[in-house]
Amino acid sequence: MASTPRSRLNYENINPHVKAAKYAVRGELAVKSEEYRAKLARGDTDLPFKQVVSANIGNPQELDQKPITFFRQVLSLLENPKLLEHEDVLLNQLGYKSDVLARAKWLLSKVGSVGAYSASNGVPAIRQAVADFLERRDGFPANQADIYMSGGASAGVNTLLHIICADEKSGILVPIPQYPLYTASLAVLNATCVPYFLDESKNWGTDLTAIKEAYEKAKSEGVDVRAIVIINPGNPTGASLSEEDIRAVLDFARAENLVVMADEVYQTNVFVGEFHSFKRVLRQLQQEQPGAFDGVELASLHSVSKGMVGECGHRGGYFELVNFDPQVQAEIYKFVSITLCAPVIGQCLVELMVNPPREGDPSHELYAREYDGIYNGLKGRATALHRAFAQMEGVECGEPQGSMYLFPTIHVPAKAAEAAAKEGRKADEFYCLRLLEATGVCLVPGSGFGQKENALHFRTTFLPPGTEWVDRIVGFHKEFMDKYR
């Protein structure tokens, strides 16, 4: 009798580094929330809530953020250029403006077709548009040859880490708490994450003492620390770094010969103070101290997924390289060539993001109204959520500064921690799971981002519209505290 053929692949023999990677924002809680969503769609009435709220991930348009009209109108013409044969209909019946048509024609003249491959590092004209944007933003020149289009910032991070990490002893300084893309990517690469803790008492600012201690400890253990990651504004913390903090990081990178990876995808989501780019601060330091900072290698990343654009699904982004060795850049070009090119429609959306309608353009009034409406809505919801946390027992949360998240500390009763331990869970995981089961609101436990021992947090976006879901959190929290008091 023939035996049942055994699968060639099983859990035991697949890549162990993939199994070791953890990515909490789409982990167990997110999977469970989708199961609940499917149940509700089937009409099941057993659940104690009527809607799942995915506050676990920064996905603006899933949570009712509307696309910006100018962007989508241009994209529609890029996807279907035959529409341009009916300009009178577009202008007189469908509400398109003349600058929409002009931009679509210009982009089509540069890309040919959004269904065709581009150059591996991106469409030259779009890279030039990014360079022009960077020059306007920072006040210093940018070279399109140093700009690489990517499938969102995540693809850029993946490229850079592949280049930087040579073996398991290659170390990358990563902020804790951090967006788990970094720890997960380093696990897959079998490289070494060197965690450094942010300072919660200073609104999650960088702590140079903590960075130096982490660096020295890793070096003493034989780790070849090669780079430092900074997320500014922060994810999951929302922290917006001061120019002083950025100068300190760059000076440390200069002293220890480290590559700086500046994740700046939330640069327009700043509610307190202003955004300071690493590129501008580095160029200022080079002017102030001639020769001292000329060797500091900087890679900065941006994306259409966040900010007021919120076009996560279009997978558009870029990274800029500063002071990289030409031979290293050639290898980066080769690496991005392996995946052929970033999605061309996403590249076009990057061009629209960095070069939106300007004052006096036909589309500017609507663009400005939509942009400001999204910004003010985000800021208002962040403030409302912060106020709600302030009235919750055992919850501490700093003032919203930027990005799309709040990362409050929670203190749960000892009985809750004991109940979590019986389930083999951390207390913040237990809290978030019970919250999801009771309310349909999906958050991410702080342990998914890293946190100090005996500290508990959770991360929530403030993207979902309205306040009803916030009321659900407040009500659940009171019941939870009373139950385990």
Side-chain angles (χ1 to χ4, degrees):
M1 183 176 179
S3 61
T4 303
R6 184 165 175 242
S7 297
R8 184 64 186 87
L9 293 178
N10 58 66
Y11 184 76
E12 299 305 320
N13 69 14
I14 62 172
N15 187 334
H17 308 307
V18 174
K19 292 191 291 182
K22 293 179 174 57
Y23 194 66
V25 294
R26 291 185 182 264
E28 177 192 7
L29 285 160
V31 171
K32 199 172 190 70
S33 73
E34 291 306 317
E35 292 172 356
Y36 288 155
R37 199 189 304 277
K39 279 189 175 184
L40 291 171
R42 292 195 299 267
D44 288 7
T45 57
D46 298 340
L47 298 173
F49 47 84
K50 297 180 180 179
Q51 179 193 26
V52 170
V53 177
S54 299
N56 59 305
I57 193 166
N59 193 13
Q61 293 187 21
E62 182 191 36
L63 297 168
D64 210 31
Q65 180 172 309
K66 298 294 185 275
I68 288 178
T69 300
F70 178 80
F71 295 169
R72 285 299 184 89
Q73 286 182 336
V74 173
L75 295 187
S76 71
L77 301 178
L78 299 179
E79 291 282 13
N80 188 7
K82 287 185 71 65
L83 293 173
L84 288 166
E85 298 173 7
H86 306 281
E87 292 189 9
D88 57 330
V89 176
L90 294 171
L91 294 170
N92 299 320
Q93 298 181 40
L94 298 179
Y96 286 55
K97 303 292 185 183
S98 58
D99 55 341
V100 172
L101 276 61
R103 184 68 63 86
K105 291 175 182 177
W106 181 83
L107 281 166
L108 286 168
S109 75
K110 302 303 179 183
V111 306
S113 168
V114 294
Y117 292 134
S118 74
S120 298
N121 56 347
V123 177
I126 294 176
R127 287 188 280 115
Q128 185 59 54
V130 173
D132 294 341
F133 158 75
L134 292 170
E135 185 165 344
R136 291 193 302 273
R137 186 194 70 181
D138 298 329
F140 293 95
N143 186 343
Q144 60 96 4
D146 296 325
I147 292 162
Y148 296 74
M149 309 306 296
S150 59
S154 298
V157 169
N158 182 59
T159 294
L160 292 165
L161 291 179
H162 268 84
I163 295 298
I164 295 169
C165 298
D167 53 39
E168 68 277 4
K169 285 296 185 182
S170 298
I172 309 292
L173 282 156
V174 174
I176 298 297
Q178 54 88 44
Y179 179 50
L181 166 67
Y182 293 92
T183 46
S185 298
L186 290 170
V188 172
L189 285 166
N190 194 29
T192 300
C193 176
V194 181
Y196 67 91
F197 285 101
L198 301 173
D199 189 345
E200 185 170 7
S201 69
K202 295 180 179 176
N203 286 324
W204 298 109
T206 54
D207 180 346
L208 197 59
T209 300
I211 293 173
K212 288 178 177 177
E213 288 176 353
Y215 174 77
E216 294 297 340
K217 180 176 181 293
K219 269 185 66 177
S220 71
E221 295 169 351
V223 177
D224 176 20
V225 184
R226 296 180 161 206
I228 181 169
V229 172
I230 304 286
I231 306 174
N232 179 44
N235 179 6
T237 65
S240 186
L241 296 185
S242 67
E243 183 174 345
E244 182 182 9
D245 279 345
I246 293 172
R247 283 173 170 259
V249 169
L250 288 169
D251 192 51
F252 174 74
R254 176 196 60 79
E256 303 300 342
N257 196 25
L258 298 176
V259 177
V260 178
M261 286 181 62
D263 183 334
E264 298 176 331
V265 301
Y266 295 100
Q267 61 187 258
T268 56
N269 294 90
V270 177
F271 308 135
V272 176
E274 62 178 298
F275 168 72
H276 301 279
S277 77
F278 269 77
K279 166 84 172 293
R280 181 171 64 82
V281 177
L282 176 59
R283 292 302 193 212
Q284 288 174 336
L285 285 167
Q286 288 174 327
Q287 283 185 338
E288 295 164 11
Q289 302 177 49
F293 286 85
D294 289 353
V296 175
E297 294 147 283
L298 168 67
S300 57
L301 304 106
H302 195 15
S303 165
V304 301
S305 296
K306 311 303 178 186
M308 276 29 82
V309 184
E311 293 279 4
C312 303
H314 274 110
R315 309 312 300 137
Y318 70 82
F319 59 90
E320 181 191 21
L321 303 178
V322 177
N323 295 332
F324 271 61
D325 183 287
Q327 287 184 301
V328 173
Q329 283 202 218
E331 294 303 307
I332 292 173
Y333 185 90
K334 179 174 71 179
F335 186 89
V336 299
S337 298
I338 294 169
T339 54
L340 298 173
C341 68
V344 174
I345 197 71
Q347 294 185 48
C348 292
L349 192 48
V350 169
E351 193 279 334
L352 300 175
M353 175 183 73
V354 301
N355 188 24
R358 303 184 187 184
E359 196 164 351
D361 291 345
S363 294
H364 179 263
E365 182 182 352
L366 177 59
Y367 169 81
R369 187 164 70 245
E370 292 175 336
Y371 187 98
D372 291 346
I374 294 169
Y375 177 88
N376 292 328
L378 286 171
K379 187 175 181 179
R381 290 196 297 277
T383 302
L385 191 56
H386 181 251
R387 281 199 300 264
F389 289 153
Q391 57 182 284
M392 288 164 56
E393 178 188 356
V395 175
E396 301 166 13
C397 185
E399 177 188 13
Q401 298 179 71
S403 76
M404 297 176 172
Y405 313 103
L406 292 177
F407 195 67
T409 296
I410 55 172
H411 303 277
V412 301
K415 287 184 179 178
E418 292 167 7
K422 286 180 181 177
E423 292 187 12
R425 296 183 182 280
K426 296 172 183 173
D428 52 0
E429 292 174 345
F430 179 80
Y431 178 92
C432 290
L433 182 59
R434 296 287 93 85
L435 172 71
L436 175 62
E437 293 169 344
T439 68
V441 178
C442 185
L443 309 180
V444 187
S447 50
F449 302 94
Q451 55 195 350
K452 289 184 176 178
E453 193 173 355
N454 300 321
L456 299 174
H457 302 82
F458 61 78
R459 187 194 79 168
T460 177
T461 72
F462 37 81
L463 290 165
T467 58
E468 186 273 335
W469 66 281
V470 179
D471 295 337
R472 282 192 246 171
I473 295 175
V474 174
F476 162 82
H477 183 79
K478 184 178 185 308
E479 293 176 5
F480 181 91
M481 298 298 282
D482 288 343
K483 179 177 180 179
Y484 293 103
R485 194 176 305 281

